[in-house]
Amino acid sequence: YDTYAKPLSNSIEIPHYRDDLYAVLGLSLNATKQEIKQAYYKIAFITHPDRNTSQEAIYDFQNATYAYQILGK
């Protein structure tokens, strides 16, 4: 059983299990919507490709964005 969703690009694998998504944002499973938003904004500020062009930062930004899109609804 594949534990990852389809990658955004050929080299990036995005976790899709709910607990993995919370872990991407550094949160516990009982985080509030406000905590999810704050965690995403903090990670996005540091890892956004306009600020940080390292491959690791781009990967972290994409993972955080994906997690926020799912959990922030």
Side-chain angles (χ1 to χ4, degrees), residues 15-33:
H16 72 275
Y17 287 122
R18 187 177 176 141
D19 55 342
D20 290 344
L21 296 175
Y22 281 95
V24 165
L25 296 175
L27 299 169
S28 65
L29 294 176
N30 60 353
T32 66
K33 296 288 184 191

Side-chain angles (χ1 to χ4, degrees), residues 22-64:
Y22 281 95
V24 165
L25 296 175
L27 299 169
S28 65
L29 294 176
N30 60 353
T32 66
K33 296 288 184 191
Q34 183 64 29
E35 291 170 329
I36 292 168
K37 183 177 180 178
Q38 287 175 338
Y40 169 70
Y41 278 39
K42 182 178 179 181
I43 293 169
F45 181 77
I46 295 167
T47 63
H48 192 279
D50 288 345
R51 292 183 154 272
N52 190 338
T53 58
S54 75
Q55 281 302 113
E56 184 178 341
I58 292 169
Y59 176 79
D60 290 344
F61 177 76
Q62 290 174 334
N63 277 338

